[in-house]
Amino acid sequence: MSRKMLINGERNGSNEEETCYDFDLFVIGAGSGGVRASRTAAGFGAKVGICELPFHPISSEVVGGVGGTCVIRGCVPKKILVYGASFGGELEDAKNYGWGVNEIVDFNWKKLLHNKTQEIIRLNGLYKRLLLNSGVKMLEGEGKIVSPHEVELTQLDGTKLRYSAKHILIATGSRAQRPPITGQELGITSDEALSLDELPKRAVILGGGYISVEFASIWRGMGVTVDLFFRKELPLRGFDDEMRTVVARNLEGRGIKLHPGTSLSELIKTEDGIRVITDHGDELMADVVLFATGRAPNTKRLNLEAVGVALDGRAVKVDEFSCTNIPSIWAIGDVTNRMNLTPVALMEGTCFSKTVFGGQPSKPDYNNIPCAVFCIPPLSVVGLSEQEAIEQAKGDILVFTSTFNPMKNTISGRQEKTIMKLVVDAETDKVLGASMCGPEAPEIMQVSICVLKTFVS
Ligand code: NDP
């Protein structure tokens, strides 16, 4: 049911054929990137349509929801659980400050889960209103590209509709992956971990990235026994080595059992839970096994190969302006597997709209993007790590490190140091990178960057 219409129009005095489309822009996927691109494009006067799957906290090929991963099953619910878990450590710390904390601490997982779900339902509604108020036409269903200017939308009841658009933007994000080990169906991903009916007593986590250390902290803060397995000697490959060491020490200090250089080879269901067998042949029992082993771009059902959109593995290949090899088809966010962070998807969305509808060709700038890992206590970094600076800097570098005992810990007795590091170009005194691991590190880093930007620019 395409409403594509061909009219004869005159442009620049020539008798060119001009095409009239249903939309100037059709966006597939209403996560952080898609919503930002839609709203900014509409702000430039474009007629925008956006499609998204029906809402569900656990994503699949057929459910998703306006707001996407960050809002529904990523940053937002994760941070709510991190806040919830942080009270565990705070209660411990409170004792030496004179607070009588009874032996039995009653933590109600179901209550937190309910409140978390209510919040993401609220945000889902808020995002829908944002789109509506921006004049973006929202459509529920699965989008599939059928030609360089056409999207087929399959609605919940199976009805198929076709829409034409001058530009199509793919913003379908990514989904958590399971490693190919025997019994992998017994494990869960972060989607399910954010919506578990019961809080496990014993959790095993595989992976050494963001999600693994964040969930290890969440569960441990709630009193769960946590065993964390990762392939390298330290978690958080790619971050500053000194910071990685501090994070590992802090995780252990909070009672998480680390298993470096170890992966899992098999999961077996038993009456007592899941028997976990490591690649060293060791065994342990768990109620829940979380795979935090990375995410893959959502491109499978978009029909991209048929339309001729070039892929790089499962990611959509794009140029510096987020355009694919087909000039009318663009892609932003995790589906392009460039830098998989929400603020980056937002930046890519804004640049796309400026380029295509704002008359201001804009390339996303991937330099000095701050990021935060919400383990407890958190880690936040911007710019180069010490190792990257050694490899990339032209001249000498200076490294300033400060490690100290936060005053709060002197009374509480918590053995946990805060560490800050600045990597500086020795000749110009220019800061090349900054890292901090300690309480409120993300906020401190964010404020520092804002202050620097204000006074330096
Ligand atoms: P990451 O890419 O951060 O880490 C994946 C981890 O899984 C690595 O430690 C990797 O090990 C390990 N791994 C991969 N395959 C296997 C395997 N077959 N067996 C054992 N280990 C394996 O992925 P996450 O899942 O933690 O996060 C996904 C994405 O979500 C990230 O790109 C991140 O940007 C984003 N995210 C951001 C957050 C934030 O900003 N705070 C929070 C959560 C997620 P190795 O290092 O050995 O390769």
Side-chain angles (χ1 to χ4, degrees):
M1 199 197 68
S2 172
R3 286 186 290 277
K4 185 173 169 182
M5 177 170 65
L6 291 175
I7 56 169
N8 286 324
E10 284 203 1
R11 200 192 298 156
N12 301 331
S14 73
N15 223 4
E16 252 179 60
E17 194 176 51
E18 197 169 281
T19 310
C20 234
Y21 299 100
D22 295 326
F23 295 102
D24 298 314
L25 171 66
F26 195 97
V27 182
I28 306 180
S32 301
V35 169
R36 169 64 67 87
S38 308
R39 293 177 61 213
T40 46
F44 284 121
K47 187 177 177 198
V48 185
I50 188 168
C51 71
E52 175 56 67
L53 298 165
F55 175 86
H56 197 282
I58 299 170
S59 70
S60 76
E61 308 284 12
V62 290
V63 286
V66 173
T69 301
C70 176
V71 170
I72 298 171
R73 60 193 81 79
C75 324
V76 172
K78 180 273 305 293
K79 270 204 87 172
I80 291 172
L81 297 194
V82 169
Y83 286 131
S86 300
F87 289 107
E90 290 286 301
L91 288 172
E92 297 252 309
D93 292 351
K95 290 178 189 164
N96 280 352
Y97 279 95
W99 290 89
V101 181
N102 295 329
E103 283 306 305
I104 299 169
V105 177
D106 185 19
F107 170 64
N108 189 333
W109 165 253
K110 282 192 192 315
K111 183 169 184 176
L112 176 57
L113 196 72
H114 171 78
N115 289 341
K116 182 254 344 176
T117 305
Q118 291 307 109
E119 175 58 8
I120 60 170
I121 290 171
R122 185 185 75 81
L123 288 173
N124 172 253
L126 184 87
Y127 268 71
K128 284 181 178 168
R129 281 199 300 282
L130 283 174
L131 287 169
L132 203 72
N133 294 342
S134 307
V136 175
K137 170 97 177 149
M138 241 173 43
L139 300 149
E140 195 168 73
E142 185 180 3
K144 174 174 138 185
I145 301 179
V146 286
S147 84
H149 292 285
E150 272 179 310
V151 174
E152 181 182 89
L153 181 82
T154 307
Q155 293 180 312
L156 215 52
D157 63 2
T159 311
K160 291 188 192 304
L161 302 171
R162 275 199 186 193
Y163 295 96
S164 64
K166 187 166 186 190
H167 298 277
I168 296 170
L169 178 66
I170 305 166
T172 46
S174 61
R175 188 162 310 127
Q177 296 300 297
R178 289 156 189 267
I181 65 171
T182 312
Q184 50 114 308
E185 69 284 354
L186 299 173
I188 60 169
T189 69
S190 52
D191 278 19
E192 294 90 355
L194 288 161
S195 295
L196 283 177
D197 286 339
E198 301 289 337
L199 184 67
K201 286 194 168 54
R202 305 159 298 180
V204 160
I205 302 176
L206 176 62
Y210 284 83
I211 293 177
S212 73
V213 297
E214 291 178 344
F215 266 98
S217 293
I218 289 169
W219 279 334
R220 187 63 207 136
M222 294 171 179
V224 177
T225 300
V226 180
D227 284 84
L228 177 56
F229 293 83
F230 45 93
R231 300 190 288 204
K232 300 285 184 292
E233 277 313 295
L234 289 168
L236 297 177
R237 176 165 58 85
F239 285 82
D240 188 284
D241 284 347
E242 204 169 351
M243 294 293 151
R244 297 169 72 195
T245 308
V246 170
V247 168
R249 202 170 56 216
N250 290 346
L251 294 175
E252 276 183 318
R254 296 232 170 196
I256 294 157
K257 189 152 185 230
L258 303 188
H259 302 266
T262 314
S263 193
L264 305 184
S265 57
E266 192 176 353
L267 306 183
I268 301 163
K269 192 164 175 47
T270 73
E271 276 185 4
D272 182 35
I274 303 167
R275 181 181 302 143
V276 179
I277 303 174
T278 75
D279 59 354
H280 296 167
D282 299 325
E283 291 187 14
L284 74 160
M285 293 301 297
D287 303 309
V288 156
V289 177
L290 168 65
F291 295 126
T293 47
R295 301 173 63 87
N298 281 330
T299 46
K300 261 194 206 158
R301 289 159 64 107
L302 290 170
N303 198 37
L304 299 181
E305 287 89 344
V307 180
V309 175
L311 297 175
D312 181 2
R314 280 172 67 179
V316 180
K317 222 169 151 175
V318 288
D319 67 12
E320 292 174 305
F321 293 98
S322 301
C323 191
T324 69
N325 58 314
I326 296 183
S328 58
I329 304 180
W330 307 69
I332 56 164
D334 283 15
V335 78
T336 61
N337 200 22
R338 287 176 281 183
M339 195 179 277
N340 300 332
L341 298 169
T342 299
V344 174
L346 298 176
M347 168 176 65
E348 290 169 354
T350 305
C351 288
F352 158 80
S353 295
K354 280 185 174 173
T355 302
V356 179
F357 300 104
Q360 312 158 46
S362 307
K363 295 178 192 171
D365 178 0
Y366 297 95
N367 288 310
N368 297 327
I369 289 173
C371 59
V373 186
F374 293 95
C375 42
I376 302 176
L379 166 68
S380 188
V381 308
V382 65
L384 303 181
S385 68
E386 184 178 338
Q387 295 72 41
E388 286 168 337
I390 290 168
E391 283 162 20
Q392 296 175 26
K394 295 197 176 66
D396 290 343
I397 58 161
L398 295 170
V399 178
F400 300 93
T401 306
S402 172
T403 307
F404 56 91
N405 206 16
M407 191 173 164
K408 187 177 174 191
N409 292 355
T410 54
I411 298 288
S412 71
R414 182 174 290 286
Q415 298 298 311
E416 201 168 73
K417 299 232 183 300
T418 286
I419 176 168
M420 294 170 164
K421 183 186 256 193
L422 275 185
V423 181
V424 175
D425 183 305
E427 199 185 318
T428 61
D429 262 357
K430 187 179 164 198
V431 176
L432 303 173
S435 330
M436 174 176 176
C437 183
E440 315 303 343
E443 278 71 22
I444 293 170
M445 195 63 79
Q446 177 149 317
V447 171
S448 312
I449 294 164
C450 290
V451 170
L452 275 174
K453 278 191 174 163
T454 308
F455 289 105
V456 173
S457 58

